[in-house]
Amino acid sequence: MVDMDAFLGRLDPDMCLVTAAAGGERAGCLVGFASQCSLRPVRFAVWLSQLNRTYEVARSAEFLAVHLLARDQRALAELFGGRTGHRTDKFQGVRWCTGYGGAVVLEDVEAWFVGRIAHRADGGDHVGFVLDPVECGGRADGDRPLLRQRDAGAIRPGHPVD
């Protein structure tokens, strides 16, 4: 029997904060499953839980925004990772602006990009959104350590995992 917990426990990927906007609604969540998935063209995939409010909004969206947080932005990570958008307006009191295609871009993050949704893939309890980057930005001095999965490990998800 393969011990996937042991294998996965050795990984420590960067956490991403993904936002979606569609039909006058906006949502966002902390994501641990994300990666560049193509060199030519450059593409990036984020995986959203089907239980998540962000997934519900993303299903109707044309663009998603993907943000990188610094390790010291734990409060922002807890807001977007530890609360559910079904009961909380996560954007209240958070600085954001409208990006390309109406995407919601958080202003106080290390780096971000907006991507056009090129493809969706069923992965089980998560759906992958493959993104074609169309706009990016971030801090000019963006050299602070990024929030990683181990840094976010104590954040209890805003909705049940299983």
Side-chain angles (χ1 to χ4, degrees):
M1 182 67 144
V2 177
D3 185 358
M4 281 305 292
D5 288 339
F7 178 87
L8 296 173
R10 297 185 75 177
L11 301 176
D12 193 18
D14 296 326
M15 299 296 289
C16 294
L17 196 159
V18 176
T19 57
E25 296 183 85
R26 61 182 186 246
C29 64
L30 193 62
V31 173
F33 306 147
S35 176
Q36 182 176 348
C37 62
S38 175
L39 293 171
R40 289 189 179 90
V42 172
R43 286 192 169 152
F44 195 88
V46 295
W47 295 83
L48 301 178
S49 168
Q50 294 183 52
L51 299 174
N52 197 305
R53 178 74 182 129
T54 306
Y55 169 74
E56 294 172 3
V57 175
R59 285 185 310 191
S60 300
E62 185 178 351
F63 298 92
L64 299 179
V66 180
H67 309 79
L68 294 176
L69 304 179
R71 190 172 289 148
D72 63 4
Q73 292 182 295
R74 183 165 172 88
L76 194 57
E78 287 178 353
L79 173 62
F80 280 86
R83 306 254 176 118
T84 175
H86 289 108
R87 293 188 295 271
T88 302
D89 177 0
K90 298 179 187 182
F91 298 90
Q92 186 176 350
V94 174
R95 290 175 9 112
W96 63 276
C97 63
T98 302
Y100 189 96
V104 178
V105 175
L106 302 180
E107 294 184 2
D108 299 318
V109 296
E110 283 300 291
W112 58 268
F113 81 91
V114 172
R116 179 185 310 273
I117 299 170
H119 180 71
R120 292 172 178 85
D122 185 354
D125 60 0
H126 283 64
V127 171
F129 291 77
V130 178
L131 306 174
D132 285 330
V134 294
E135 179 182 41
C136 64
R139 293 177 175 282
D141 64 344
D143 60 353
R144 298 184 323 190
L146 296 178
L147 181 76
R148 300 181 72 81
Q149 195 167 45
R150 283 195 175 100
D151 302 321
I155 298 173
R156 291 189 50 195
H159 61 80
V161 176
D162 42 357

